[in-house]
Amino acid sequence: MPRAPDPSRLSRERIVETAFSLLEREGWETLSMRRLGQELDVWPMAVYRYFRDKDELVDALVEHVVQEVALPGARGAWRARLRRLLGEAVRTLEGLPPEFRARLAPALLGPASPLSTAARDALGTAGLDNSQASKAWLALAAYTAGFPELAPSESAFEDGLQTIMDGLGEAANALEPATST
Amino acid sequence: MPRAPDPSRLSRERIVETAFSLLEREGWETLSMRRLGQELDVWPMAVYRYFRDKDELVDALVEHVVQEVALPGARGAWRARLRRLLGEAVRTLEGLPPEFRARLAPALLGPASPLSTAARDALGTAGLDNSQASKAWLALAAYTAGFPELAPSESAFEDGLQTIMDGLGEAANALEPATST
DNA sequence: ACCTGAACACCGTTCAAGT
DNA sequence: ACCTGAACACCGTTCAAGT
């Protein structure tokens, strides 16, 4: 019968996990193929059996993070749902080095991402048609991608988000009026 | 009497201009201290007389770009003025490599930047108080910083911007109603 | 099939020396 | 004062070789 794979053996998964933990612990500069080999207790070139080059490895890291983000369920009011979705995104981005954020943002918030799909769905619930929802999502996604670059405190994220959500249009506001107006 | 400085002699200005043109022409990876020396027709270490290290040179490049951005004057309606200001910013960011954009965005759009000051002034004209203007500006600035990361066509920038500006609050809308509502 | 190990063409930066 | 030039400790990646 098949045995559990030898954990000392390399695999794409083990490489990605080690590389990501290295990235989180020591930053972007430290994530080199040579240092990664060291971390895996293997000679630098061994990783090249699994990834064509460093760029392909970074792509895999991006994919790993995108998969890892836990999307909140579809229950609840659409405003709260959007806030939860974008909160997940901004927390994910904020914890990572800027150089990696620039690679991650399109995969996390671009039109094809799971988070993006869930968010447009929430905007549909709010009464926006597909075209309106896409434009509103562009505003929200770009805001979320840019927020960590300007890097004030995380709490301020909610303020700007509120400002944008106030502008999502009459169709949305008619369904569920904003709290303060 | 004093003569014009020898153009073959190094200076911070000449180094910054050469480095920036190298960055624009050949990208972020090509901008190395060694290649820069080559471009200046000088040995690599000569640049270290003018900049402590590469990081300080990149800071100077950022400052160079921020200075270079031509801010449109204070004339005209506040919405149009904001659109012009943010249009300048997004065009500047879009033309540059993502790795450099991450360094540039805070300097260009952060609270202390000239562009930021002009924008908050425009928002004051719209009838927002200082606290409202700062929150609104955070939304607009983060949107503008994030837009090039998600990189759709430039024309789409106006769509998201309109969505956000629609949410700038009753005080502003009372002064100058939105075109479509 | 998978890992090794030397090698190549690069980096940023130090230091002591030249002019 | 300003530039040189060798040197150090790194990079990513190639290639041929080992097991």
Side-chain angles (χ1 to χ4, degrees):
Chain A
M1 66 176 82
R3 307 280 313 290
D6 183 351
S8 75
R9 213 158 193 80
L10 288 181
S11 68
R12 283 181 67 100
E13 205 186 4
R14 195 159 88 86
I15 293 170
V16 164
E17 272 160 15
T18 304
F20 185 64
S21 113
L22 186 58
L23 177 68
E24 280 188 303
R25 275 174 6 243
E26 310 228 24
W28 177 255
E29 295 75 22
T30 313
L31 181 61
S32 74
M33 297 303 267
R34 294 172 113 103
R35 174 67 196 277
L36 178 56
Q38 212 171 290
E39 211 79 2
L40 289 161
D41 202 28
V42 107
W43 291 81
M45 292 314 300
V47 173
Y48 284 83
R49 287 280 143 189
Y50 298 86
F51 298 94
R52 223 163 71 82
D53 53 22
K54 190 181 181 180
D55 205 61
E56 202 183 283
L57 171 62
V58 173
D59 282 344
L61 286 176
V62 165
E63 208 42 52
H64 177 249
V65 174
V66 170
Q67 305 287 347
E68 218 182 27
V69 172
L71 296 188
R75 308 223 142 264
W78 67 270
R79 287 176 194 275
R81 193 177 162 204
L82 272 181
R83 261 197 297 272
R84 283 197 303 268
L85 282 166
L86 294 173
E88 280 299 324
V90 81
R91 272 189 298 276
T92 301
L93 290 167
E94 266 176 343
L96 294 164
E99 300 89 343
F100 184 69
R101 263 194 325 239
R103 297 281 296 255
L104 178 57
L108 187 65
L109 294 165
S113 78
L115 204 151
S116 182
T117 304
R120 278 195 308 268
D121 180 67
L123 287 164
T125 303
L128 303 188
D129 65 32
N130 281 349
S131 160
Q132 290 171 313
S134 286
K135 286 177 186 176
W137 172 242
L138 175 61
L140 292 164
Y143 169 67
T144 304
F147 186 86
E149 305 302 318
L150 304 184
S153 70
E154 204 202 301
S155 65
F157 181 70
E158 296 286 337
D159 288 342
L161 189 55
Q162 190 60 51
T163 298
I164 298 178
M165 294 217 290
D166 286 348
L168 291 189
E170 296 179 321
N173 287 315
L175 286 183
E176 181 188 353
T179 46
S180 59
T181 49
Chain B
M1 63 177 81
R3 308 280 312 290
D6 183 350
S8 75
R9 213 158 194 79
L10 288 182
S11 67
R12 283 181 67 99
E13 203 186 6
R14 195 159 88 86
I15 292 170
V16 163
E17 272 160 15
T18 305
F20 185 64
S21 113
L22 185 59
L23 178 67
E24 281 189 302
R25 276 176 2 247
E26 311 227 24
W28 177 255
E29 294 74 24
T30 313
L31 180 61
S32 74
M33 296 303 267
R34 293 171 112 102
R35 176 66 197 279
L36 177 57
Q38 212 170 288
E39 212 78 1
L40 289 160
D41 202 29
V42 108
W43 291 80
M45 291 315 301
V47 173
Y48 284 83
R49 288 281 142 190
Y50 299 86
F51 298 94
R52 220 163 73 81
D53 53 23
K54 191 181 181 180
D55 205 61
E56 200 181 287
L57 171 62
V58 173
D59 283 345
L61 287 176
V62 164
E63 208 43 52
H64 177 249
V65 173
V66 169
Q67 304 287 348
E68 220 181 27
V69 172
L71 296 188
R75 308 224 144 261
W78 67 270
R79 286 176 194 275
R81 194 177 161 204
L82 271 181
R83 261 198 297 273
R84 284 198 303 269
L85 282 167
L86 293 174
E88 281 299 325
V90 81
R91 273 191 297 278
T92 301
L93 290 167
E94 267 176 343
L96 294 164
E99 301 89 343
F100 184 69
R101 266 199 315 244
R103 298 280 297 252
L104 177 58
L108 187 65
L109 294 165
S113 78
L115 204 150
S116 183
T117 304
R120 277 195 309 269
D121 180 68
L123 287 165
T125 304
L128 304 188
D129 65 32
N130 281 349
S131 160
Q132 289 172 315
S134 287
K135 285 177 186 177
W137 172 241
L138 175 62
L140 292 164
Y143 169 67
T144 304
F147 186 87
E149 307 301 318
L150 304 184
S153 70
E154 203 202 302
S155 66
F157 181 71
E158 296 285 337
D159 289 341
L161 190 55
Q162 190 61 50
T163 297
I164 299 178
M165 293 216 292
D166 287 349
L168 291 189
E170 297 178 321
N173 288 314
L175 286 183
E176 182 188 353
T179 47
S180 59
T181 48

